[in-house]
Amino acid sequence: MPRRCLCDDVGMVTDTAPTRTAYRTCPLCEASCGLEITLRRTPNGDEEVQRIRGDRADVFSKGYTCPKGSTLKHLHEDPDRLHSPMVKRNGVHVAVSWDEAWAVVDEGLGRVIGQHGRASLAAYVGNPTAHSLSAMTFSRMLLTGLGTRHRFSASTVDQMPRHVASGHVFGSPVAIAVPDLDRTDHLVVIGANPYASNGSVCTAPDFPGRIEAMRSRGGKLVVIDPRLSRTAQEADEWLAIRPGSDALLLAAVANTLFEEGLADPGEHVGEYVVGLGELRTALAPFTPEFVAEATGIDADTTRRVARELAAAPTAAVYGRIGTTTTEFGTTASWLIDVVNVLTGNLDRPGGAMFPTPVAGGATTRGRPGSGRGFRVGRGHSRVSGHPEVMGEYPVSILAEEIRTPGEGQIRALVTIAGNPVLSTPHSEQLADALDELDFMVSIDLYLNETTSHADVILPPPSQLQRSHYDLLLLQFAVRNVANYSPAVLPLDDDQPDEWEIIAKLTAIAQGSGVDADPGVADDLAIGALVRSAVASEHSIVAGRDPDELLAELSANGRRGPERMLDFMLRTGPFGDGFGANPDGTSLDDLLGRPHGRDFGPLVPRIPEILRTPSGRIELAPAPLLADLERLSSAAGELAGRGLVLVGRRHLRSNNSWMHNVPVLVKGTPRCTLQVHPDDAERLGLVDGGAATITSRVGSVDAPVEVTDAIRPGVVSLPHGWGHDVQGARMRVAAEHAGVNSNVLSDDRAIDPLSGTSVLNGIPVEVVAAG
């Protein structure tokens, strides 16, 4: 029976009968839990949320939700949420009409483009865009419309190494194998804490419940983490690894599999795997003894981990942000794939499998079984020469690109749903750099630590006023499902939808002026999507009349993201194909299934998922083999490091704006510096006292929490705090300000293969605060 969060009735009111019940998917994290929302009619005739709880009939989450899901009512009614555009005048943000805001945007962007050209523009796309149907369908249009190569996102402080590794091995950066949680017998979790995160790049509502079901059927959970995290507390075995050494451990596990004759990809994928000989040779130096001091895990344990993975009926290794935000994030992500392949667990039930996204994606479109492959470096950053990766540059270099004079210097910035002042490295430097811009415009719900620097803030509707479909996240789901949610509440008067904001901003950036009609951009976008599919011989609508398809898509007045989603669903792997598959899905089909539609468990997808030129699993790609030399050379330095800092997260927190919800920040303060008792005694720290933490780039003071739930030599601060910045307007968050751990993260510390910042294993000094 799925577990039901005890807090999912937050917001219950009983004095008036509800007028109706709505169902929607929670957009606040990657778990995609279904919600049941009851509403009542207020005396003035409007509707308001009466209660939110887990939707027991949801095909995926089956009633489970975490504390965040029940707060959509709080977020919608938050008095700090912006309802009108804001324009900065004399250093103070004031509310203005939409017409006035667009006029300021038109003048500001036009002035910068006119004086410095489009090369002076830049864009930053934040994490919440992954949870927005409008942003997922229209933000690419904006990035293209700006006409600049200065593109940045939260991916390079998060999951980019996972994309790069998959791109090199399977040919597509979204060909990511996820653990088949519901059928596996043995799960190794490295650098992840799904009891707090609900899973990441692995969409699985009630991830903890799925782990517990595995254990109840005799399975084993091994957690490899420097902290005794909530997930580690539930594990059969916790291995307290030294931060930053995950790639070394995985290399030694793979080495053991080769040396003990346990490496066997299996008949189901074996004929498609190439590079085993080169890989074995390259991994030969990484014996369990060689990595033991650097990882802090003895050789016998490393060998046992390898043997147990090979011996289990089914098994999967799953790694996340603790492995990606390190100097060797891409290599660690690759080695996770290597271990899953060598143990015969890739692409088979109970192992690591590839989802089949119902709305389609890069792994379902085009010619199955081969493709153009993956490459990086189609450009390099202007100042420090970092290579382009997936069309963007490391966000850690944003400040230097703003502050360094010369042709192509960033003079104007557009941000979408992000707070890089809190979420990216050397954040004080970035905050200072934003003040040097000639113009900045932000699409955001709040006046926060980043948007406080903007000349104009354009607020989208609340989460309850938007439709929803997890276009990105369901590409990484542990089951093939689809669930569309119409908006629960209507838009405010004069409030444009999020897609209309993005489309109009795009048109203004292209010189169409303040009277630009977002519908024109919408028509161009859907037209291009349909014509591309019709022209592809591998599409279910190949050769069809595009005008006929467009007419059918638009017959009921449908526009914007819904029209695009309808087309993606109908031409996807489970779609109706505009009549070709009568039992297939469409947006109308999902509207008639408010609890979602289940298309079944994951199925083997090799070789059709491959997009490598060779049509093979390239297990030994040259860039990753070459990085093993850097990894080997770093072993001694990793072993000799002093105190290092890692991050952590909590079930009640995902993005920084959630700290403005009272129910999510109440209770014992969570922004503390966790320190092992041995380190506390050595450093003269006491529980409840204060410590000063200093890195190469900054220093913060934080309250001390002495705990044995962390490895000696490691300290931990959570991310997303530091809400004491002047100019922000998030009152609840300010009362629980905490400290910003990214004041300490080093903008120069980057995984060179992906451009991802090092946020775990940061060398620090800690002393008792004076």
Side-chain angles (χ1 to χ4, degrees):
M1 181 74 181
R3 304 177 311 153
R4 177 173 175 268
C5 178
L6 297 179
C7 57
D8 62 1
D9 288 328
V10 171
M12 179 179 284
V13 181
T14 58
D15 59 341
T16 304
T19 60
R20 66 184 176 96
T21 301
Y23 299 95
R24 72 157 300 146
T25 302
C26 178
L28 299 182
C29 79
E30 297 182 43
S32 296
C33 298
L35 302 176
E36 178 189 283
I37 304 174
T38 54
L39 300 103
R40 65 170 184 170
R41 187 73 62 183
T42 64
N44 65 7
D46 295 331
E47 281 188 317
E48 68 177 8
V49 173
Q50 180 183 20
R51 181 182 67 185
I52 299 177
R53 65 181 181 182
D55 175 12
R56 293 169 176 82
D58 186 271
V59 298
F60 201 15
S61 59
K62 303 184 185 302
Y64 175 80
T65 186
C66 81
K68 295 188 292 294
S70 63
T71 65
L72 288 176
K73 169 184 171 68
H74 300 275
L75 289 166
H76 177 74
E77 298 174 355
D78 186 351
D80 289 335
R81 181 172 70 85
L82 301 180
H83 292 263
S84 301
M86 307 290 283
V87 170
K88 185 181 283 188
R89 292 177 176 157
N90 300 318
V92 178
H93 284 91
V94 296
V96 299
S97 68
W98 280 96
D99 287 344
E100 188 171 357
W102 289 126
V104 177
V105 171
D106 186 40
E107 187 282 326
L109 288 179
R111 171 170 39 86
V112 173
I113 294 170
Q115 292 177 358
H116 306 288
R118 294 188 175 276
S120 66
L121 305 181
Y124 173 83
V125 179
N127 172 280
T129 59
H131 308 263
S132 164
L133 177 59
S134 287
M136 285 301 300
T137 49
F138 279 83
S139 60
R140 182 176 292 275
M141 175 194 300
L142 174 59
L143 296 176
T144 301
L146 290 174
T148 178
R149 65 189 184 96
H150 290 304
R151 300 179 184 179
F152 308 90
S153 84
S155 295
T156 53
V157 286
D158 196 335
Q159 83 286 354
M160 186 63 85
R162 178 61 273 172
H163 292 305
V164 174
S166 289
H168 285 305
V169 174
F170 305 114
S172 169
V174 294
I176 296 175
V178 301
D180 186 14
L181 294 176
D182 297 333
R183 294 181 287 188
T184 196
D185 299 287
H186 189 95
L187 181 64
V188 175
V189 174
I190 179 167
N193 185 14
Y195 272 76
S197 69
N198 284 315
S200 181
V201 195
C202 177
T203 300
D206 196 14
F207 201 128
R210 295 171 196 269
I211 288 177
E212 289 159 16
M214 176 196 71
R215 296 184 68 210
S216 70
R217 60 179 182 261
K220 180 174 181 177
L221 173 65
V222 178
V223 173
I224 303 171
D225 197 298
R227 295 180 52 247
L228 183 63
S229 65
R230 180 70 182 83
T231 306
Q233 292 173 26
E234 299 296 324
D236 297 283
E237 183 174 14
W238 170 47
L239 302 178
I241 194 170
R242 192 186 302 273
S245 66
D246 313 281
L248 285 168
L249 177 66
L250 290 161
V253 168
N255 171 287
T256 300
L257 294 170
F258 277 123
E259 293 305 313
E260 298 192 1
L262 301 174
D264 180 9
E267 294 182 2
H268 63 296
V269 299
E271 67 178 293
Y272 300 104
V273 177
V274 295
L276 286 172
E278 299 97 315
L279 181 63
R280 178 170 187 166
T281 299
L283 291 175
F286 294 90
T287 64
E289 286 78 12
F290 173 74
V291 307
E293 186 176 5
T295 62
I297 297 174
D298 66 83
D300 288 344
T301 298
T302 299
R303 286 193 172 89
R304 178 173 53 77
V305 168
R307 292 165 184 161
E308 290 180 354
L309 279 167
T314 62
V317 180
Y318 166 64
R320 197 41 196 100
I321 199 164
T323 63
T324 57
T325 53
T326 69
E327 297 103 312
F328 300 97
T330 303
T331 299
S333 298
W334 164 57
L335 289 167
I336 288 172
D337 289 332
V338 166
V339 172
N340 283 329
V341 168
L342 296 183
T343 56
N345 285 299
L346 182 73
D347 202 42
R348 71 165 177 140
M353 303 190 74
F354 300 97
T356 307
V358 177
T363 66
T364 66
R365 302 187 186 112
R367 184 175 65 183
S370 65
R372 291 181 297 178
F374 177 80
R375 65 189 181 97
V376 303
R378 289 170 293 185
H380 290 78
S381 65
R382 182 180 64 98
V383 179
S384 51
H386 288 285
E388 162 276 340
V389 177
M390 290 182 65
E392 64 183 78
Y393 292 98
V395 70
S396 62
I397 68 168
L398 177 57
E400 72 180 24
E401 291 289 338
I402 295 172
R403 306 185 87 171
T404 305
E407 185 176 355
Q409 178 184 5
I410 294 174
R411 306 277 187 154
L413 176 66
V414 176
T415 68
I416 309 176
N419 194 359
V421 167
L422 289 191
S423 62
T424 65
H426 203 173
S427 53
E428 290 181 338
Q429 174 183 257
L430 178 59
D432 291 341
L434 295 183
D435 286 333
E436 298 179 18
L437 291 167
D438 293 342
F439 190 72
M440 178 175 168
V441 56
S442 297
I443 299 175
D444 207 286
L445 288 164
Y446 287 99
L447 179 55
N448 62 29
E449 293 79 10
T450 295
T451 62
S452 61
H453 297 269
D455 296 279
V456 183
I457 308 173
L458 307 171
S462 80
Q463 289 83 0
L464 290 176
Q465 294 173 307
R466 309 179 210 170
S467 59
H468 187 75
Y469 183 92
D470 277 316
L471 203 57
L472 176 66
L473 303 180
L474 289 176
Q475 295 189 59
F476 313 123
V478 298
R479 195 170 177 88
N480 296 320
V481 299
N483 199 328
Y484 171 77
S485 312
V488 175
L489 295 173
L491 296 172
D492 298 339
D493 292 341
D494 299 323
Q495 169 70 58
D497 208 340
E498 185 177 23
W499 74 266
E500 295 176 301
I501 297 171
I502 299 172
K504 184 154 186 168
L505 180 56
T506 302
I508 288 176
Q510 292 179 316
S512 297
V514 296
D515 295 324
D517 179 4
V520 173
D522 177 34
D523 288 339
L524 289 172
I526 187 65
L529 191 64
V530 171
R531 288 179 172 83
S532 175
V534 166
S536 171
E537 63 178 304
H538 304 288
S539 170
I540 195 171
V541 293
R544 295 281 296 271
D545 182 349
D547 292 331
E548 177 185 301
L549 298 180
L550 285 167
E552 185 171 342
L553 288 167
S554 308
N556 58 1
R558 193 170 281 155
R559 299 186 63 79
E562 279 70 29
R563 185 164 55 165
M564 292 189 194
L565 176 62
D566 190 26
F567 183 74
M568 294 176 191
L569 289 167
R570 300 181 76 172
T571 57
F574 301 97
D576 70 4
F578 290 86
N581 177 17
D583 294 328
T585 194
S586 64
L587 187 55
D588 285 338
D589 173 52
L590 295 185
L591 282 167
R593 302 171 188 262
H595 309 292
R597 184 171 178 182
D598 182 10
F599 293 90
L602 306 186
V603 297
R605 292 195 60 198
I606 289 174
E608 60 93 4
I609 196 174
L610 299 175
R611 295 297 184 269
T612 54
S614 66
R616 297 291 185 265
I617 299 169
E618 300 284 355
L619 205 57
L624 290 158
L625 285 183
D627 202 46
L628 290 176
E629 182 177 348
R630 183 174 68 96
L631 178 64
S632 176
S633 300
E637 190 272 332
L638 286 168
R641 279 187 183 174
L643 206 60
V644 294
L645 175 72
V646 299
R648 68 179 190 271
R649 67 178 295 174
H650 192 276
L651 182 62
R652 294 176 179 268
S653 177
N654 185 16
N655 294 303
S656 58
W657 47 270
M658 292 185 187
H659 299 155
N660 211 51
V661 178
V663 70
L664 294 181
V665 293
K666 69 179 182 180
T668 304
R670 298 192 296 275
C671 190
T672 60
L673 180 74
Q674 291 187 342
V675 185
H676 189 273
D678 293 349
D679 292 322
E681 182 178 6
R682 176 174 57 85
L683 298 170
L685 305 177
V686 296
D687 191 69
T692 299
I693 311 101
T694 303
S695 71
R696 186 190 74 84
V697 298
S699 182
V700 298
D701 288 354
V704 172
E705 177 186 351
V706 179
T707 174
D708 58 5
I710 193 166
R711 176 189 170 90
V714 182
V715 294
S716 173
L717 277 173
H719 77 280
W721 299 85
H723 302 292
D724 53 357
V725 174
Q726 187 175 2
R729 196 176 302 170
M730 298 177 69
R731 285 166 287 189
V732 173
E735 293 172 0
H736 305 267
V739 298
N740 180 6
S741 62
N742 278 312
V743 170
L744 303 169
S745 55
D746 193 335
D747 56 312
R748 296 181 189 172
I750 291 179
D751 167 31
L753 298 185
S754 67
T756 301
S757 298
V758 175
L759 305 181
N760 284 291
I762 302 168
V764 292
E765 296 180 357
V766 178
V767 298

